[in-house]
Amino acid sequence: MYDLAIFTEWLHFAVRWVHVITAIAWIGSSFYFIALDLGLTKAPNMPDGVSGEEWQVHGGGFYHLRKYLVAPAEMPEHLTWFKWESYMTWVSGFALLWLVYYLGADLYLIDPAVADISVMTAIAISLASIVFGWLAYDQLCKSRLGQNSTFLMVLLFGVLVAMSWGFTQVFSGRAALLHLGVFTATIMSANVAFIIIPNQKVVVADLKAGRKPDPKYGIIAKQRSTHNNYLTLPVIFFMLSNHYPLAFATEYNWIIASLVFLMGVTIRHYFNCRHARTGDPTWTWLATALIFSVIMLLSLAPLYQADKAEDAAAAVITPTQQKYVDAASFEEVSSIVSTRCSMCHANEPVWEGILWPPKGVRLETPQQVAQHARSIFLQAGVTHAMPPANVSWMEEDERRIIVNWFRAAQSGS
């Protein structure tokens, strides 16, 4: 069984790698086409139906790009559809959600101090929120409210703020911000799958059949694409946030999450204006810096949620954790961890330069050691990743004790 832990860790790595690769492809192509679309200029003697063109140079070659408002008079034999990058980013991201947060719900998804719910209840809420997010967003866009793009954006921001608060009332701080990213990324990918690509295919089908396409399909697709443009950067922030307790393990994490959406708008607005050659709105730099400063100030509040979670969790040892407590050599392992690891992984670290426990992981009590048994096994037993540079001089014999303890717990001996 301990081999399964190693296999699972590599599986996490592989799926995460795929997720990053596909996300780079999706976000990269999205940013490129937004910049291209905004940078198109009028030129004399352009063919009918062309709204603008641009010359670009890359990799030693020159590219002449033109945008047709609908399509050329004669459809090309081959069209490249930019969709699989989006689909695979979502699929790989959902696989990661399942592997890390669903299968590791006791550790990452549920916080007894926030909501004392079962694993199945937490997973059900997670799945329901993902479905709800898309359905609610889609209906708002299709309603009369969606006809006013500015009002719709403000309304959607209100929905995102509400979800930011809601997730922090159900899940751990780490999972709450991660779910906000999943919630938003699902909307973005569903926009591509259910609106943008189908609308483009309707236009292509009409042109091939000799019919005049309805311009509404392009207008709708453009609106959804604009939303994706402004949501991309916040999603990246939320996906990275699980590495930074100052973002997720604070009393005001839902306010921090809400402000991140505003930063996404200010940053993208600057680049959009630059690409469209409509000005250099340097005020967005100041606005972004001010918002980020507020976020940092909010994070300076005591790590209330993390402390609260530790106090609540310390009183209860789950059945999964109990098998590590009951395994042979647990007391010896606890002593090793206390000696070699808790100077950093403590509520108040004593190692110089460490002001809070890395990634919010505390290893001061037997319950905490049992809770993080798999990570201790992988990072201090199988590998020498921890302690970093072996600054606390963990001995090889101690690492073997950790490995044997984990094996015993997994085998039930």
Side-chain angles (χ1 to χ4, degrees):
M1 290 297 294
Y2 78 94
D3 289 333
L4 180 61
I6 297 175
F7 171 79
T8 302
E9 189 74 2
W10 275 110
L11 180 61
H12 286 191
F13 194 171
V15 176
R16 193 179 301 275
W17 191 26
V18 171
H19 186 54
V20 171
I21 291 171
T22 54
I24 290 173
W26 181 20
I27 296 170
S29 63
S30 174
F31 280 10
Y32 171 74
F33 276 104
I34 290 169
L36 173 63
D37 191 57
L38 293 172
L40 294 171
T41 57
K42 292 284 187 179
N45 303 319
M46 289 194 304
D48 292 338
V50 174
S51 62
E53 66 178 15
E54 186 170 55
W55 284 88
Q56 298 182 356
V57 58
H58 180 74
F62 292 88
Y63 297 83
H64 186 198
L65 305 168
R66 289 174 169 173
K67 178 182 178 180
Y68 286 80
L69 289 173
V70 179
E74 295 183 5
M75 288 295 296
E77 294 183 5
H78 175 72
L79 283 172
T80 299
W81 297 85
F82 289 86
K83 56 182 181 178
W84 293 110
E85 302 91 338
S86 169
Y87 302 165
M88 290 310 301
T89 298
W90 190 89
V91 169
S92 58
F94 185 75
L96 264 182
L97 177 66
W98 191 276
L99 288 170
V100 177
Y101 286 87
Y102 291 174
L103 296 184
D106 285 335
L107 181 58
Y108 295 115
L109 184 60
I110 299 172
D111 182 345
V114 175
D116 191 10
I117 56 179
S118 68
V119 170
M120 293 308 299
T121 299
I123 294 175
I125 294 173
S126 171
L127 292 172
S129 70
I130 295 172
V131 176
F132 164 78
W134 164 247
L135 294 178
Y137 163 81
D138 188 51
Q139 289 304 309
L140 283 174
C141 290
K142 291 177 178 177
S143 69
R144 290 185 177 180
L145 299 175
Q147 297 175 6
N148 185 323
S149 295
T150 301
F151 179 75
L152 178 61
M153 289 286 281
V154 173
L155 183 61
L156 292 176
F157 175 69
V159 172
L160 293 171
V161 171
M163 292 305 301
S164 300
W165 179 84
F167 279 134
T168 61
Q169 306 307 301
V170 179
F171 301 131
S172 69
R174 184 194 307 263
L177 264 62
L178 187 283
H179 269 78
L180 195 58
V182 174
F183 180 91
T184 309
T186 298
I187 289 174
M188 294 172 61
S189 191
N191 272 339
V192 176
F194 302 131
I195 302 297
I196 297 173
I197 295 297
N199 282 16
Q200 290 175 336
K201 288 189 174 182
V202 168
V203 172
V204 171
D206 284 344
L207 289 169
K208 288 183 176 180
R211 299 186 296 267
K212 183 179 180 180
D214 190 330
K216 73 175 184 179
Y217 293 108
I219 295 172
I220 294 171
K222 182 66 175 178
Q223 182 188 59
R224 302 300 181 97
S225 181
T226 300
H227 292 170
N228 283 8
N229 177 21
Y230 285 104
L231 292 174
T232 300
L233 296 182
V235 169
I236 296 174
F237 181 98
F238 296 133
M239 296 311 177
L240 294 175
S241 68
N242 67 94
H243 297 286
Y244 297 93
L246 286 177
F248 68 77
T250 75
E251 186 177 1
Y252 306 109
N253 49 9
W254 71 274
I255 302 178
I256 289 174
S258 302
L259 293 175
V260 167
F261 284 108
L262 294 182
M263 283 201 301
V265 172
T266 57
I267 295 171
R268 286 307 301 161
H269 180 70
Y270 174 79
F271 284 103
N272 289 343
C273 290
R274 292 282 292 176
H275 293 148
R277 303 182 182 91
T278 57
D280 188 9
T282 52
W283 64 265
T284 58
W285 293 36
L286 177 60
T288 303
L290 288 175
I291 295 172
F292 196 74
S293 297
V294 173
I295 288 175
M296 289 192 293
L297 288 174
L298 291 171
S299 73
L300 292 177
L303 300 183
Y304 177 65
Q305 287 187 326
D307 295 341
K308 202 168 55 166
E310 294 298 331
D311 293 340
V316 179
I317 295 181
T318 67
T320 301
Q321 295 164 1
Q322 188 64 49
K323 70 179 182 179
Y324 295 105
V325 174
D326 295 339
S329 303
F330 176 72
E331 291 185 3
E332 194 171 4
V333 169
S334 294
S335 177
I336 293 170
V337 171
S338 177
T339 303
R340 309 298 187 185
C341 308
S342 62
M343 68 283 294
C344 295
H345 291 284
N347 191 46
E348 296 182 3
V350 297
W351 192 271
E352 184 177 357
I354 303 294
L355 302 180
W356 48 80
K359 294 191 176 182
V361 175
R362 292 165 173 78
L363 299 173
E364 297 178 285
T365 68
Q367 186 276 337
Q368 292 165 352
V369 173
Q371 181 185 21
H372 296 283
R374 182 170 172 272
S375 295
I376 294 171
F377 165 70
L378 291 170
Q379 299 201 40
V382 177
T383 72
H384 290 195
M386 291 290 162
N390 203 21
V391 292
S392 59
W393 301 96
M394 181 177 286
E395 303 288 345
E396 289 300 321
D397 287 345
E398 293 174 324
R399 296 184 189 277
R400 279 193 290 270
I401 290 171
I402 291 174
V403 170
N404 291 336
W405 160 69
F406 189 83
R407 287 178 177 176
Q410 291 291 310
S411 62
S413 59

